[in-house]
Structure formats: structure tokens, C-alpha cells
Amino acid sequence: MVLAEATPPPFTIASVFTEIRLNSWLSVLLVVAAGLYLYGVHRLRLRGDRWPVSRTVFFLFPGLGGIASVTVSGLHAYDTTLLSVHMVQHMVLSMVAPIFLALGAPMTLALRVLHGAPRRRLLAVVHSHVAKVLTFPLVAFGLFVATPFALYFTGLYEQTLRHEWLHELTHAHFILVGCLFFWPLLGLDPLPGRWPYPARALLMLLSVPFHTVLGLTIMQSTTLLGGDWYPSLHLAWANPFDDQRAAGGILWAGGEFVSVTMIAVLVVQWIRASEREARRIDRELDRQEARERAQDQNDAAVRSAAHD
């Protein structure tokens, strides 16, 4: 279906709240995902198991809530009108929300709640060949980096503006690719072939230049993304070229900020993992020392008994 919505009024902060849409398929999926997650937490608590509150908060609010903030809120009314609004959506759907979804550890929650055949099927999916390929960091990195270049520097972006089904599919693709990239790097769920922390930090660092190059290229381009779509809207309150420069700046600055922040998060996770490993080694050494002392005492008692 070709997008044919009426041109919205000038964009303001109030528009985010006055143009809210609750009748999309994505809003239904968000409600279902939130309900399933909360049900899983409830099941754990009923049997006396603990689930960290921070994981629930991460998954529901910056995770699912982040997706809702750019697709269900009034921003959706401007995502085919202003490239800058679309770019905010791009950043949140591909970088911000997937990070917090990963930190919510929904796979771990499901594995702790499920039993029997459902749990075995989920484990089979997690350890399947397809999952190993898609979650391999270099494959996910390639998809994460290539997606915006393929979208904005081909005729595909203009088609997403003209066809609603393709527009919605692009949103889903952003979320999926973001999850594939960030889940193995920052997530807490059990995934096959997870890299050590130094390699993860390096991969995150390598993603920074691509956002810089893409953002600067869009800012400096004299060709409008989307072809003649934005000029055809005849917006008296927005200049397509000025808006495109703003969109490139959002991508550049937002990409660098999120990437550098995530490198810091990885370093913190790395330090904590090292501390846990050090404590584990200390406990093992303490147990080994205790066994040796007990053995020495036993040997001494045997020698004393033999002497007597």
C-alpha cells in the first residue's frame, strides 16, 4: 500500500503526545512481549526464585519502551515527513532499544521458566546452526554496518517512504539487526560462540567510524535521500536540505555517543567478570589449601598412631 497520509502540522514536542497511535501491529507485539516477560517473572517469584529487578526495568522501559517511543508515539506521524525524525527512529530501533532488550536477558528468563519439551525446543533453537551463524559477531557486525549504507544509498529508502508495508518491515529489520549485533556483545543470555571481552570491545570500537562516515556523507550530500519525496510534500515549515543535514548530524553524534557508551559498559562488564573469576579462583585455592591441611593433619595422625 502506498503511504498517503495527510501532511501533519509543524513538528513540535507536543506532537509526540498528540499524534499517538495505538492501532499498529507493532504496538500489539510490544504489549504481548511485555506481558510474557512479566508473566515469566511472576512464575519465578511464585516458586521462590529471584529475578533481578534491574533486568525487568531494562527490558520493559528503555527496551520495549524505547521502541514504543519512536513507533507508537507521535513521532510516527513524521517519520515519512522529516528525515531527521526517521533518523531518530533508526538510532533508537537499531542501537538503543536492542541494548536494553539484551540486558533484560529474556532468553535466560524463558529457560528458567520453561520445562520439558518447550525448554528443549528453545535450547535447540539457541544452539542451532542458523543461530550460530547469525549471532557470530563478525556476521552480525557486517549486517549492522551494511544495513544503513544499503538503505540510504540505493533506491530502497525512497520505496520505504512510498510503501507502508516496506516501511514497517524496515523498522522490524532495524530491531532485528540491532539485537543480532548487541546481544552477543552485551547480552546476558547463553549464546553459542561468545567472544572474550577484549574482542567484543574492539568490535564495538570498529563500528564507530562507520557511523561517522555515514553521518558526514549524509550531511554533505547535495542529493536528497528519498528522491523527490520530501520536496513533493511542499512543507512550508521545513526545508528538506536543512532537515537532511540535521539527520546526518543525529546519526553521526548519536552513533558515536552510543558506541562509546557501550564500550564503557563492556569494560565495566569485563572488570566485573574478572573480579568474579578472581573470587572463584580464590575460593578454589582456599578449598585446595583446606584439603591439603586436612590431608597433612590426617597424615600426622596416622604417623602418631603408628609411633604409639
Side-chain angles (χ1 to χ4, degrees):
M1 184 179 89
V2 177
L3 293 172
E5 296 180 2
T7 302
F11 178 75
T12 64
I13 298 300
S15 304
V16 176
F17 304 97
T18 58
E19 301 289 336
I20 291 176
R21 171 185 63 170
L22 297 177
N23 60 347
S24 69
W25 64 268
L26 189 55
S27 62
V28 175
L29 288 181
L30 292 175
V31 171
V32 171
L36 289 174
Y37 192 95
L38 290 173
Y39 176 71
V41 174
H42 176 66
R43 286 282 303 273
L44 287 183
R45 289 181 176 175
L46 283 180
R47 69 186 194 205
D49 291 341
R50 179 180 174 274
W51 183 255
V53 175
S54 60
R55 295 184 184 180
T56 304
V57 172
F58 285 150
F59 187 83
L60 294 180
F61 295 99
L64 297 181
I67 296 173
S69 70
V70 295
T71 58
V72 177
S73 75
L75 286 180
H76 85 278
Y78 296 86
D79 62 0
T80 59
T81 304
L82 296 172
L83 180 62
S84 56
V85 170
H86 162 81
M87 206 59 73
V88 171
Q89 282 186 324
H90 177 161
M91 298 301 300
V92 173
L93 295 178
S94 66
M95 296 192 72
V96 178
I99 289 169
F100 290 102
L101 293 177
L103 293 176
M107 194 71 66
T108 300
L109 177 62
L111 289 172
R112 290 183 61 181
V113 171
L114 296 175
H115 297 282
R119 188 175 190 276
R120 289 193 297 272
R121 284 194 290 268
L122 181 57
L123 282 172
V125 171
V126 171
H127 296 288
S128 67
H129 181 69
V130 173
K132 290 179 181 178
V133 172
L134 290 178
T135 59
F136 183 67
L138 288 180
V139 173
F141 177 77
L143 291 171
F144 183 73
V145 168
T147 288
F149 286 93
L151 175 64
Y152 298 124
F153 297 128
T154 67
L156 179 59
Y157 181 63
E158 182 178 359
Q159 295 305 310
T160 67
L161 296 172
R162 299 184 183 278
H163 301 280
E164 185 174 6
W165 68 269
L166 188 57
H167 187 73
E168 297 290 342
L169 186 62
T170 302
H171 288 169
H173 180 78
F174 281 151
I175 298 170
L176 176 61
V177 170
C179 287
L180 289 176
F181 179 64
F182 286 106
W183 226 286
L185 299 184
L186 297 168
L188 308 175
D189 287 324
L191 292 175
R194 194 185 294 273
W195 280 10
Y197 280 103
R200 297 190 221 174
L202 176 61
L203 198 62
M204 185 73 72
L205 186 63
L206 290 176
S207 70
V208 176
F210 290 97
H211 289 102
T212 302
V213 170
L214 182 61
L216 289 175
T217 301
I218 292 174
M219 290 178 69
Q220 297 171 359
S221 177
T222 57
T223 302
L224 287 174
L225 301 185
D228 63 351
W229 173 266
Y230 292 112
S232 70
L233 298 178
H234 303 295
L235 299 178
W237 48 271
N239 182 293
F241 286 97
D242 291 341
D243 185 60
Q244 180 162 304
R245 284 190 285 272
I250 290 170
L251 182 60
W252 174 22
E256 289 201 355
F257 175 78
V258 173
S259 296
V260 172
T261 302
M262 288 307 99
I263 291 172
V265 171
L266 269 175
V267 170
V268 171
Q269 289 184 339
W270 183 5
I271 292 173
R272 290 179 176 176
S274 299
E275 291 174 347
R276 288 194 298 270
E277 179 64 15
R279 289 194 296 269
R280 187 192 66 79
I281 293 174
D282 287 342
R283 289 194 298 269
E284 180 59 30
L285 290 174
D286 289 342
R287 286 193 292 268
Q288 183 178 347
E289 184 178 349
R291 288 194 297 268
E292 290 175 353
R293 284 200 304 268
Q295 184 63 41
D296 290 342
Q297 291 172 357
N298 185 60
D299 292 343
V302 170
R303 287 194 298 270
S304 176
H307 179 73
D308 292 342

